[in-house]
Amino acid sequence: MRFDRHTVVLLVRPDDAPDLPQDALDRIQDAHLAHQAGLVEQGAVLAAGPFLDGDDGRVRGFVVLSVDPQMARELYANDPAVRAGRLVAQVSSWMVPEGQVRFEQVPVPRSMLEAASGD
């Protein structure tokens, strides 16, 4: 059997994440979304999104990438939320039977305002 291998990133809120005013958190989140959208446009990110209602509230998001694990580490070291200490990127390889998972190019939000607009 053949397998497709992808790199995945879990975005996790560290226990020591800095407490920041809401306006700073909003700026970091918008910068995080813009960074993520840029990685989608570059073809590095195949799919990404937040987790909701999970058993572990520290696990905030999931990303599937087309790049190797080391490149994923480098890309997420530059994520504004990671740089601000609000998230930590945990990188792994993920294997699935060949062709089982397919990714389509779709628009992604570059800000919270864009995400909330529903368009």
Side-chain angles (χ1 to χ4, degrees):
M1 177 174 273
R2 293 179 188 208
F3 289 86
D4 290 328
R5 185 174 178 161
H6 300 286
T7 301
V8 297
V9 171
L10 284 179
L11 295 170
V12 179
R13 174 78 31 87
D15 292 334
D16 62 349
D19 288 325
L20 299 169
Q22 190 60 49
D23 63 324
L25 294 173
D26 291 344
R27 283 192 305 275
I28 291 168
Q29 183 64 16
D30 280 348
H32 164 71
L33 290 175
H35 178 262
Q36 192 95 294
L39 296 178
V40 169
E41 290 166 1
Q42 293 172 24
V45 167
L46 302 172
F51 284 119
L52 305 172
D53 306 322
D55 290 338
D56 184 346
R58 294 173 304 146
V59 181
R60 308 298 293 168
F62 179 75
V63 186
V64 181
L65 297 104
S66 64
V67 299
D68 65 63
Q70 184 55 40
M71 177 58 70
R73 286 181 186 93
E74 292 171 20
L75 294 173
Y76 277 86
N78 290 317
D79 184 295
V82 171
R83 286 194 334 253
R86 296 291 298 167
L87 295 174
V88 172
Q90 296 179 350
V91 179
S92 297
S93 292
W94 180 48
M95 289 179 24
V96 294
E98 185 177 56
Q100 184 177 35
V101 178
R102 299 189 194 285
F103 300 96
E104 304 267 337
Q105 287 189 335
V106 298
V108 296
R110 297 189 72 83
S111 69
M112 289 303 293
L113 181 63
E114 195 173 310
S117 74
D119 293 334

Short mmCIF file of all heavy atoms in Angstrom, two decimals, residues 4-11 35-36 39-40 42-48 62-76 89-94 103:
data_model
loop_
_atom_site.label_atom_id
_atom_site.label_comp_id
_atom_site.label_asym_id
_atom_site.label_seq_id
_atom_site.Cartn_x
_atom_site.Cartn_y
_atom_site.Cartn_z
N ASP A 4 0.39 8.80 1.40
CA ASP A 4 0.74 10.20 1.27
C ASP A 4 1.23 10.67 2.62
O ASP A 4 0.69 10.28 3.67
CB ASP A 4 -0.49 11.05 0.88
CG ASP A 4 -0.96 10.78 -0.53
OD1 ASP A 4 -0.11 10.47 -1.40
OD2 ASP A 4 -2.18 10.88 -0.78
N ARG A 5 2.25 11.49 2.59
CA ARG A 5 2.82 12.00 3.84
C ARG A 5 2.67 13.52 3.83
O ARG A 5 3.06 14.17 2.88
CB ARG A 5 4.28 11.61 3.94
CG ARG A 5 4.92 11.99 5.24
CD ARG A 5 6.32 11.42 5.29
NE ARG A 5 6.97 11.82 6.52
CZ ARG A 5 8.00 11.22 7.03
NH1 ARG A 5 8.53 10.19 6.42
NH2 ARG A 5 8.54 11.65 8.14
N HIS A 6 2.07 14.03 4.89
CA HIS A 6 1.88 15.47 5.06
C HIS A 6 2.53 15.89 6.37
O HIS A 6 2.71 15.07 7.27
CB HIS A 6 0.38 15.81 5.12
CG HIS A 6 -0.37 15.42 3.90
ND1 HIS A 6 -0.29 16.09 2.71
CD2 HIS A 6 -1.23 14.40 3.68
CE1 HIS A 6 -1.06 15.52 1.82
NE2 HIS A 6 -1.65 14.48 2.39
N THR A 7 2.83 17.14 6.46
CA THR A 7 3.27 17.71 7.73
C THR A 7 2.07 18.38 8.37
O THR A 7 1.31 19.07 7.69
CB THR A 7 4.40 18.74 7.50
OG1 THR A 7 5.49 18.07 6.86
CG2 THR A 7 4.87 19.33 8.81
N VAL A 8 1.89 18.14 9.65
CA VAL A 8 0.80 18.79 10.38
C VAL A 8 1.38 19.59 11.54
O VAL A 8 2.42 19.26 12.10
CB VAL A 8 -0.26 17.79 10.90
CG1 VAL A 8 -0.94 17.09 9.75
CG2 VAL A 8 0.33 16.80 11.87
N VAL A 9 0.67 20.66 11.86
CA VAL A 9 1.02 21.50 12.99
C VAL A 9 -0.20 21.60 13.89
O VAL A 9 -1.29 21.92 13.42
CB VAL A 9 1.46 22.91 12.53
CG1 VAL A 9 1.63 23.85 13.71
CG2 VAL A 9 2.75 22.84 11.72
N LEU A 10 0.00 21.31 15.16
CA LEU A 10 -1.00 21.63 16.17
C LEU A 10 -0.58 22.96 16.79
O LEU A 10 0.57 23.11 17.21
CB LEU A 10 -1.05 20.57 17.27
CG LEU A 10 -1.73 19.27 16.94
CD1 LEU A 10 -1.65 18.32 18.15
CD2 LEU A 10 -3.17 19.47 16.54
N LEU A 11 -1.49 23.90 16.82
CA LEU A 11 -1.23 25.18 17.47
C LEU A 11 -1.82 25.11 18.86
O LEU A 11 -3.02 24.92 19.04
CB LEU A 11 -1.85 26.32 16.65
CG LEU A 11 -1.20 26.50 15.27
CD1 LEU A 11 -2.00 27.47 14.43
CD2 LEU A 11 0.24 26.95 15.41
N HIS A 35 -0.84 35.97 8.23
CA HIS A 35 0.32 35.08 8.02
C HIS A 35 -0.13 33.75 7.44
O HIS A 35 0.44 33.26 6.46
CB HIS A 35 1.04 34.88 9.36
CG HIS A 35 2.21 33.97 9.29
ND1 HIS A 35 2.13 32.64 9.64
CD2 HIS A 35 3.49 34.18 8.90
CE1 HIS A 35 3.31 32.08 9.48
NE2 HIS A 35 4.16 32.99 9.04
N GLN A 36 -1.18 33.19 8.02
CA GLN A 36 -1.70 31.91 7.56
C GLN A 36 -2.17 32.01 6.10
O GLN A 36 -1.89 31.14 5.29
CB GLN A 36 -2.87 31.51 8.46
CG GLN A 36 -3.32 30.11 8.29
CD GLN A 36 -2.69 29.21 9.28
OE1 GLN A 36 -1.48 28.99 9.25
NE2 GLN A 36 -3.47 28.68 10.16
N LEU A 39 0.66 31.91 3.75
CA LEU A 39 1.19 30.56 3.56
C LEU A 39 0.31 29.73 2.64
O LEU A 39 0.81 28.90 1.87
CB LEU A 39 1.35 29.86 4.92
CG LEU A 39 2.37 30.49 5.87
CD1 LEU A 39 2.40 29.73 7.19
CD2 LEU A 39 3.76 30.56 5.25
N VAL A 40 -1.00 29.98 2.69
CA VAL A 40 -1.92 29.31 1.75
C VAL A 40 -1.60 29.78 0.33
O VAL A 40 -1.49 28.97 -0.59
CB VAL A 40 -3.39 29.60 2.12
CG1 VAL A 40 -4.33 29.14 1.02
CG2 VAL A 40 -3.76 28.95 3.45
N GLN A 42 1.12 30.88 -0.86
CA GLN A 42 2.42 30.33 -1.28
C GLN A 42 2.34 28.84 -1.61
O GLN A 42 3.28 28.27 -2.16
CB GLN A 42 3.46 30.52 -0.18
CG GLN A 42 3.84 31.94 0.10
CD GLN A 42 4.72 32.02 1.35
OE1 GLN A 42 5.39 31.07 1.74
NE2 GLN A 42 4.71 33.18 1.99
N GLY A 43 1.25 28.20 -1.22
CA GLY A 43 1.11 26.76 -1.43
C GLY A 43 1.67 25.91 -0.32
O GLY A 43 1.68 24.69 -0.42
N ALA A 44 2.15 26.52 0.76
CA ALA A 44 2.72 25.77 1.88
C ALA A 44 1.63 25.15 2.75
O ALA A 44 1.79 24.04 3.27
CB ALA A 44 3.63 26.66 2.73
N VAL A 45 0.52 25.88 2.95
CA VAL A 45 -0.58 25.39 3.78
C VAL A 45 -1.68 24.85 2.87
O VAL A 45 -2.15 25.56 1.97
CB VAL A 45 -1.13 26.50 4.71
CG1 VAL A 45 -2.46 26.09 5.33
CG2 VAL A 45 -0.12 26.81 5.80
N LEU A 46 -2.09 23.61 3.11
CA LEU A 46 -3.16 22.97 2.35
C LEU A 46 -4.51 23.16 3.01
O LEU A 46 -5.53 23.25 2.33
CB LEU A 46 -2.87 21.48 2.19
CG LEU A 46 -1.55 21.13 1.50
CD1 LEU A 46 -1.28 19.64 1.60
CD2 LEU A 46 -1.58 21.61 0.06
N ALA A 47 -4.53 23.18 4.34
CA ALA A 47 -5.77 23.36 5.10
C ALA A 47 -5.39 23.80 6.50
O ALA A 47 -4.36 23.40 7.04
CB ALA A 47 -6.57 22.05 5.16
N ALA A 48 -6.25 24.63 7.08
CA ALA A 48 -6.00 25.11 8.44
C ALA A 48 -7.30 25.59 9.04
O ALA A 48 -8.19 26.06 8.33
CB ALA A 48 -4.98 26.24 8.43
N PHE A 62 -5.28 23.48 13.89
CA PHE A 62 -4.69 22.36 13.16
C PHE A 62 -4.36 22.85 11.76
O PHE A 62 -5.16 23.54 11.12
CB PHE A 62 -5.71 21.22 13.10
CG PHE A 62 -5.26 20.01 12.34
CD1 PHE A 62 -4.35 19.14 12.89
CD2 PHE A 62 -5.79 19.72 11.10
CE1 PHE A 62 -3.95 18.00 12.21
CE2 PHE A 62 -5.41 18.58 10.40
CZ PHE A 62 -4.49 17.72 10.97
N VAL A 63 -3.17 22.51 11.28
CA VAL A 63 -2.72 22.93 9.96
C VAL A 63 -2.12 21.72 9.23
O VAL A 63 -1.37 20.95 9.84
CB VAL A 63 -1.64 24.03 10.06
CG1 VAL A 63 -1.28 24.57 8.69
CG2 VAL A 63 -2.05 25.15 11.00
N VAL A 64 -2.46 21.56 7.96
CA VAL A 64 -1.85 20.55 7.12
C VAL A 64 -1.01 21.28 6.08
O VAL A 64 -1.51 22.20 5.42
CB VAL A 64 -2.90 19.66 6.41
CG1 VAL A 64 -2.22 18.60 5.55
CG2 VAL A 64 -3.84 19.03 7.42
N LEU A 65 0.25 20.89 5.97
CA LEU A 65 1.18 21.58 5.08
C LEU A 65 1.73 20.67 4.01
O LEU A 65 1.80 19.44 4.19
CB LEU A 65 2.35 22.15 5.89
CG LEU A 65 1.96 23.20 6.92
CD1 LEU A 65 1.97 22.62 8.30
CD2 LEU A 65 2.87 24.39 6.82
N SER A 66 2.19 21.29 2.92
CA SER A 66 2.81 20.56 1.81
C SER A 66 4.34 20.58 1.91
O SER A 66 5.01 20.10 1.00
CB SER A 66 2.40 21.20 0.49
OG SER A 66 2.89 22.53 0.41
N VAL A 67 4.88 21.10 3.00
CA VAL A 67 6.33 21.23 3.17
C VAL A 67 6.81 20.23 4.21
O VAL A 67 6.02 19.66 4.96
CB VAL A 67 6.71 22.67 3.58
CG1 VAL A 67 6.28 23.66 2.52
CG2 VAL A 67 6.11 23.04 4.93
N ASP A 68 8.12 20.03 4.27
CA ASP A 68 8.68 19.09 5.24
C ASP A 68 8.61 19.68 6.66
O ASP A 68 8.40 20.88 6.83
CB ASP A 68 10.11 18.70 4.86
CG ASP A 68 11.09 19.85 4.91
OD1 ASP A 68 11.32 20.41 6.00
OD2 ASP A 68 11.64 20.21 3.85
N PRO A 69 8.76 18.84 7.67
CA PRO A 69 8.63 19.31 9.05
C PRO A 69 9.57 20.45 9.42
O PRO A 69 9.15 21.38 10.12
CB PRO A 69 8.92 18.05 9.88
CG PRO A 69 8.48 16.93 9.01
CD PRO A 69 8.88 17.36 7.62
N GLN A 70 10.80 20.42 8.94
CA GLN A 70 11.72 21.49 9.29
C GLN A 70 11.25 22.83 8.72
O GLN A 70 11.30 23.86 9.39
CB GLN A 70 13.15 21.18 8.82
CG GLN A 70 14.15 22.23 9.26
CD GLN A 70 14.16 22.47 10.77
OE1 GLN A 70 14.05 21.55 11.58
NE2 GLN A 70 14.26 23.73 11.17
N MET A 71 10.78 22.83 7.48
CA MET A 71 10.27 24.06 6.88
C MET A 71 9.02 24.53 7.63
O MET A 71 8.85 25.74 7.86
CB MET A 71 9.95 23.86 5.40
CG MET A 71 9.35 25.08 4.74
SD MET A 71 10.39 26.57 4.82
CE MET A 71 11.70 26.11 3.71
N ALA A 72 8.17 23.61 8.05
CA ALA A 72 6.99 23.99 8.83
C ALA A 72 7.40 24.67 10.13
O ALA A 72 6.80 25.68 10.52
CB ALA A 72 6.13 22.75 9.13
N ARG A 73 8.43 24.15 10.78
CA ARG A 73 8.92 24.78 12.01
C ARG A 73 9.38 26.22 11.73
O ARG A 73 9.09 27.13 12.50
CB ARG A 73 10.06 23.97 12.60
CG ARG A 73 9.62 22.69 13.26
CD ARG A 73 10.80 21.91 13.86
NE ARG A 73 10.33 20.63 14.34
CZ ARG A 73 10.34 19.51 13.63
NH1 ARG A 73 10.82 19.50 12.38
NH2 ARG A 73 9.87 18.39 14.13
N GLU A 74 10.09 26.39 10.62
CA GLU A 74 10.58 27.72 10.26
C GLU A 74 9.42 28.67 9.95
O GLU A 74 9.42 29.82 10.39
CB GLU A 74 11.54 27.63 9.07
CG GLU A 74 12.83 26.92 9.41
CD GLU A 74 13.70 26.64 8.20
OE1 GLU A 74 13.52 27.31 7.15
OE2 GLU A 74 14.56 25.75 8.30
N LEU A 75 8.45 28.18 9.19
CA LEU A 75 7.31 29.03 8.83
C LEU A 75 6.52 29.46 10.07
O LEU A 75 6.10 30.61 10.19
CB LEU A 75 6.39 28.29 7.85
CG LEU A 75 6.98 28.01 6.47
CD1 LEU A 75 6.03 27.12 5.68
CD2 LEU A 75 7.28 29.30 5.73
N TYR A 76 6.31 28.52 11.00
CA TYR A 76 5.52 28.86 12.18
C TYR A 76 6.31 29.58 13.24
O TYR A 76 5.73 30.23 14.11
CB TYR A 76 4.75 27.63 12.68
CG TYR A 76 3.50 27.52 11.86
CD1 TYR A 76 3.51 26.85 10.65
CD2 TYR A 76 2.35 28.20 12.21
CE1 TYR A 76 2.40 26.82 9.83
CE2 TYR A 76 1.23 28.19 11.40
CZ TYR A 76 1.27 27.50 10.22
OH TYR A 76 0.16 27.50 9.40
N ALA A 89 3.84 25.97 18.18
CA ALA A 89 3.62 25.08 17.05
C ALA A 89 4.24 23.72 17.34
O ALA A 89 5.45 23.63 17.54
CB ALA A 89 4.20 25.68 15.78
N GLN A 90 3.41 22.69 17.39
CA GLN A 90 3.89 21.32 17.55
C GLN A 90 3.80 20.64 16.19
O GLN A 90 2.71 20.50 15.63
CB GLN A 90 3.05 20.58 18.59
CG GLN A 90 3.16 21.17 19.97
CD GLN A 90 2.30 20.44 20.98
OE1 GLN A 90 1.47 19.59 20.64
NE2 GLN A 90 2.49 20.76 22.24
N VAL A 91 4.94 20.22 15.65
CA VAL A 91 5.04 19.73 14.28
C VAL A 91 5.20 18.21 14.27
O VAL A 91 5.98 17.66 15.04
CB VAL A 91 6.23 20.40 13.56
CG1 VAL A 91 6.38 19.88 12.14
CG2 VAL A 91 6.09 21.91 13.58
N SER A 92 4.46 17.55 13.36
CA SER A 92 4.55 16.10 13.17
C SER A 92 4.34 15.77 11.71
O SER A 92 3.80 16.56 10.95
CB SER A 92 3.47 15.37 13.99
OG SER A 92 3.63 15.57 15.36
N SER A 93 4.74 14.55 11.34
CA SER A 93 4.39 14.02 10.02
C SER A 93 3.13 13.17 10.18
O SER A 93 2.92 12.54 11.22
CB SER A 93 5.52 13.15 9.47
OG SER A 93 6.64 13.95 9.17
N TRP A 94 2.30 13.17 9.13
CA TRP A 94 1.03 12.46 9.15
C TRP A 94 0.93 11.65 7.87
O TRP A 94 1.10 12.20 6.78
CB TRP A 94 -0.09 13.49 9.24
CG TRP A 94 -1.49 12.97 9.27
CD1 TRP A 94 -1.99 11.96 10.04
CD2 TRP A 94 -2.60 13.48 8.52
NE1 TRP A 94 -3.34 11.81 9.81
CE2 TRP A 94 -3.73 12.73 8.88
CE3 TRP A 94 -2.73 14.49 7.58
CZ2 TRP A 94 -4.99 12.97 8.34
CZ3 TRP A 94 -3.98 14.73 7.03
CH2 TRP A 94 -5.10 13.97 7.41
N PHE A 103 -7.15 18.06 -1.07
CA PHE A 103 -7.29 19.45 -0.64
C PHE A 103 -7.64 20.32 -1.84
O PHE A 103 -7.05 20.19 -2.90
CB PHE A 103 -5.99 19.94 0.01
CG PHE A 103 -5.61 19.14 1.22
CD1 PHE A 103 -4.71 18.08 1.12
CD2 PHE A 103 -6.17 19.41 2.45
CE1 PHE A 103 -4.36 17.34 2.23
CE2 PHE A 103 -5.83 18.66 3.56
CZ PHE A 103 -4.93 17.61 3.45
#
